[in-house]
Amino acid sequence: MKLFITKYKNSPVMAISLAVVVASVMVITTTLVFFNSSAYETVKQIQTGIKTSTELSDNLDTTSPIKASDIEVFYNSFINRLNSFDDHKDYGPDAISDKALGI
Amino acid sequence: MLRRSLIIIIVTLLFCLSGIAVAQDDIVNNAEARLTSALNTSQITLDDVTKEKLASKCKNAQIIIRQLQLEADRSAILRIKTYSSINADLQAIKLRTLRQGLDSSETDLLSGKMQLMIDQFTIDADKYRTTLEDLVSLNCAEKPELFMAGLMLARTQRTKLYSEANNIKSLIKNSKNDIFNQLKKRLTL
């Protein structure tokens, strides 16, 4: 250790390395604070919305002629997508009742 | 030189650690402020026996609430994505109908209503998540009344989300006769 200190005492490489280490620590710290904050969850939700709208506008057919049978297909698809969710499981009162929480 | 650098590193580390502590403290303080506001609104008062019971059992409840929060996040993201995809399809129907020179104002109106509901759902899902997060970060053994107020708020918000999810489903289901069948008739003529 003593030899190491003597050897690199006045080295600019050492100073730069230390600066890099300090900067890395600061970046890692701020990143961890951000990922643990509620702001990150909000960013994730916004990103999902943007991603979805971009994907949808890329894949949607908005130009070809539409037929009556297409409307039926669309409607059934809407209902199937909506029915794929279990509202009671996701937002029903049971999961957050005193009994469920054991209080 | 080296000694000076070491001092700088130590000071920086202390600064970073204090930054984390301040950020954590800020989250806790904000959470407490929100829960205090919920307590003032609900005006809950607990007797000593209930407080003691709650203080002793709330730590386990926090573990379950954390799980609920993760599930709520997943569910909200998936629902927003699905609702948005339905709304995009409605927009596509509107544009394709317009290109054929047919009136599509009902579809446009339905899409507008749907978007408003999605926006409201997104806001309320975020509020619900924040309340659950506040409940998890609270020192509930010391502040059982805040915990109970937050829990009641979370229940109200959850009920609202349940009702909003149902309303979105009903909006589309109930549009069958008024909008989709009318559109089908127009396209058949």
Side-chain angles (χ1 to χ4, degrees):
Chain A
M1 182 68 183
K2 203 172 178 181
L3 187 70
F4 179 83
I5 292 171
T6 321
K7 196 175 176 186
Y8 293 103
K9 203 174 174 182
N10 294 315
S11 162
V13 175
M14 184 64 165
I16 292 167
S17 307
L18 285 172
V20 168
V21 169
V22 170
S24 306
V25 168
M26 290 175 84
V27 167
I28 290 167
T29 310
T30 46
T31 309
L32 286 175
V33 169
F34 171 69
F35 280 119
N36 284 322
S37 72
S38 60
Y40 178 57
E41 291 301 328
T42 311
V43 168
K44 262 204 304 191
Q45 252 181 18
I46 293 167
Q47 276 177 339
T48 308
I50 293 168
K51 197 176 161 209
T52 307
S53 63
T54 315
E55 280 171 3
L56 293 172
S57 50
D58 286 348
N59 299 328
L60 277 180
D61 171 12
T62 56
T63 52
S64 66
I66 191 162
K67 292 176 287 189
S69 57
D70 294 335
I71 300 294
E72 190 66 35
V73 172
F74 268 119
Y75 179 76
N76 289 335
S77 148
F78 295 163
I79 297 300
N80 286 339
R81 277 184 264 175
L82 290 169
N83 283 342
S84 69
F85 295 120
D86 185 344
D87 293 347
H88 193 77
K89 181 176 165 282
D90 289 344
Y91 300 117
D94 299 345
I96 202 168
S97 64
D98 284 353
K99 193 180 165 192
L101 298 176
I103 53 175
Chain B
M1 171 73 177
L2 189 66
R3 195 181 294 166
R4 204 180 302 159
S5 303
L6 281 173
I7 291 169
I8 291 171
I9 290 180
I10 291 167
V11 169
T12 311
L13 279 174
L14 286 174
F15 176 75
C16 291
L17 289 173
S18 68
I20 294 173
V22 167
Q24 198 61 40
D25 194 41
D26 197 36
I27 291 168
V28 172
N29 281 342
N30 284 341
E32 284 198 16
R34 281 190 292 267
L35 293 176
T36 306
S37 161
L39 179 64
N40 293 338
T41 312
S42 62
Q43 294 181 331
I44 298 169
T45 44
L46 301 176
D47 57 63
D48 290 344
V49 179
T50 315
K51 269 187 202 172
E52 245 174 66
K53 188 185 155 201
L54 200 57
S56 65
K57 293 185 172 179
C58 68
K59 286 280 172 200
N60 285 335
Q62 281 180 316
I63 297 168
I64 300 169
I65 292 171
R66 174 74 184 142
Q67 195 55 41
L68 281 178
Q69 189 204 336
L70 295 175
E71 283 168 19
D73 278 348
R74 267 196 297 272
S75 163
I77 287 173
L78 189 62
R79 278 174 185 266
I80 292 165
K81 204 172 176 177
T82 305
Y83 297 153
S84 301
S85 75
I86 292 175
N87 208 23
D89 281 344
L90 285 172
Q91 284 293 318
I93 293 173
K94 182 193 89 176
L95 292 170
R96 290 169 73 183
T97 316
L98 275 175
R99 283 177 79 89
Q100 286 169 245
L102 294 169
D103 176 30
S104 65
S105 51
E106 298 109 323
T107 319
D108 201 23
L109 193 67
L110 178 64
S111 171
K113 276 188 194 171
M114 182 81 178
Q115 190 56 54
L116 280 177
M117 286 179 159
I118 296 170
D119 291 344
Q120 191 59 50
F121 180 84
T122 308
I123 293 167
D124 290 334
D126 195 47
K127 283 182 186 169
Y128 175 58
R129 184 183 55 76
T130 306
T131 307
L132 294 182
E133 205 171 72
D134 292 348
L135 281 168
V136 172
S137 69
L138 181 75
N139 185 349
C140 61
E142 276 184 19
K143 294 167 182 172
E145 279 182 332
L146 284 189
F147 185 77
M148 185 45 89
L151 200 54
M152 286 180 75
L153 178 64
R155 283 171 182 158
T156 311
Q157 289 168 336
R158 194 176 161 95
T159 309
K160 197 172 178 215
L161 285 171
Y162 182 76
S163 149
E164 284 170 358
N166 261 308
N167 288 343
I168 291 176
K169 202 182 273 184
S170 303
L171 177 76
I172 297 296
K173 280 187 177 172
N174 297 339
S175 300
K176 186 170 189 181
N177 286 332
D178 298 342
I179 295 170
F180 295 104
N181 284 350
Q182 295 299 320
L183 203 56
K184 270 163 68 180
K185 266 186 205 167
R186 260 179 251 152
L187 288 165
T188 318
L189 288 174

